[in-house]
């Protein structure tokens, strides 16, 4: 029963990702990509209560990264880890400020510059060389915002310590390196960084991971 629910959830996520990706390109084709801010705004509101659903279920950048990650895994191609200097907090906040300045500047000066489209292309290009964590945690301005708005969230993916057997499978498949090791070797998920892709839940052999109150 649990495995059936897991498969159904996986299919639902894939369908949702594809539908949002189609919508993204539909808006782009009709020169209405600025309307995507509506879906991002909804994602921000939802994240305050249940975490970063937008990142794994609606974000076009993340969706286009999925087949790249799948292909690299099949071909056993290892990507570069995030450079240590990128982990300094001022860099991601600086990139967020730059994004906001460019966005406001293009509007005020009435410059035709599709910022969201170029941001999407940048994310995909970066994922060709580096692990997804670099984009999701340190570069993406949306990811930086989500890391703030998800802090008060009461629900998210949670590892039940009593069930955890410390195998580390969840930690290995986490796209955003949001799973840490506790002193007792059990694992814990950082809600502000968790993309809710549920890959950790998929590989957990003892079903110790579930969406619950955190």
């Amino acid at each position: 029963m649990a495995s059936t629910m897991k498969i159904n959830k996986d299919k639902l996520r894939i369908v949702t990702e594809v539908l949002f990706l189609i919508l993204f390109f539909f808006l782009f084709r009709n020169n209405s990509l600025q309307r995507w801010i509506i879906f991002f705004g909804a994602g921000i509101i939802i994240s305050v209560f249940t975490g970063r659903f937008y990142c794994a279920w609606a974000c076009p950048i993340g969706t286009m990264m999925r087949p790249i990650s799948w292909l690299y895994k099949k071909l056993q191609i290892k990507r570069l880890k995030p450079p240590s200097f990128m982990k300094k907090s001022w860099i991601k906040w600086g990139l967020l400020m730059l994004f906001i300045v460019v966005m406001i500047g293009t509007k005020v000066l009435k410059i035709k510059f599709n910022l969201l489209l170029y941001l999407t292309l940048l994310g995909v290009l970066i994922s060709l060389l580096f692990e997804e964590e670099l984009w999701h945690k340190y570069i993406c301005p949306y990811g930086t915002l989500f890391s703030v708005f998800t802090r008060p969230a009461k629900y998210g993916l949670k590892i039940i310590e009593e069930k955890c057997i410390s195998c580390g499978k969840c930690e290995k498949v986490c796209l955003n390196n949001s799973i840490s090791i506790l002193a007792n070797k059990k694992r814990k998920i950082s809600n502000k960084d968790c993309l809710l892709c549920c890959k950790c839940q998929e590989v957990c052999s003892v079903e110790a991971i579930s969406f619950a109150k955190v």
Side-chain angles (χ1 to χ4, degrees), residues 12 58 77 139 189:
L12 176 62
I77 299 175
I139 297 179
I189 299 174

Side-chain angles (χ1 to χ4, degrees), residues 23-33:
L23 177 59
F24 178 83
F25 284 110
F26 174 79
L27 292 175
F28 168 67
R29 185 178 179 181
N30 289 276
N31 297 314
S32 303
L33 199 53

Side-chain angles (χ1 to χ4, degrees), residues 137 151 153 156-172 174 176-195 200 208-210 213-214:
K137 190 180 290 185
R151 290 179 187 276
L157 284 177
K158 181 180 181 180
I159 299 176
I160 303 172
E161 280 195 45
E162 293 76 14
K163 287 187 176 182
C164 179
I165 58 174
S166 307
C167 65
K169 290 180 180 179
C170 57
E171 185 183 356
K172 291 178 182 178
C174 182
N176 206 28
N177 195 24
S178 60
I179 299 177
S180 57
I181 305 175
L182 301 176
N184 58 5
K185 303 301 180 182
K186 306 286 186 177
R187 266 59 176 181
K188 182 179 181 180
I189 299 174
S190 171
N191 201 33
K192 70 179 181 67
D193 295 321
C194 176
L195 304 178
C200 57
I209 305 174
S210 62
K213 192 170 183 178
V214 295

Side-chain angles (χ1 to χ4, degrees), residues 95-121:
L95 290 173
L96 174 60
M97 291 300 105
L98 177 62
F99 174 77
I100 293 174
V101 168
V102 173
M103 183 172 63
I104 295 175
T106 53
K107 290 293 183 182
V108 173
L109 299 175
K110 296 182 179 180
I111 300 174
K112 289 186 177 181
F113 182 73
N114 202 320
L115 184 57
L116 180 55
L117 177 63
Y118 287 110
L119 188 70
T120 301
L121 293 175

Side-chain angles (χ1 to χ4, degrees), residues 47-102:
S47 71
V48 175
F49 304 97
T50 58
R52 298 170 63 164
F53 265 109
Y54 174 88
C55 294
W57 294 70
C59 179
I61 306 175
T63 300
M64 286 190 281
M65 285 180 175
R66 300 290 178 266
I68 295 173
S69 296
W70 178 84
L71 181 61
Y72 276 36
K73 184 178 180 181
K74 287 293 182 181
L75 298 176
Q76 297 184 340
I77 299 175
K78 290 187 178 294
R79 286 177 285 187
L80 300 172
K81 292 187 176 297
S84 57
F85 72 88
M86 288 298 298
K87 298 180 180 181
K88 296 179 180 179
S89 61
W90 66 266
I91 292 182
K92 70 176 183 179
W93 288 109
L95 290 173
L96 174 60
M97 291 300 105
L98 177 62
F99 174 77
I100 293 174
V101 168
V102 173

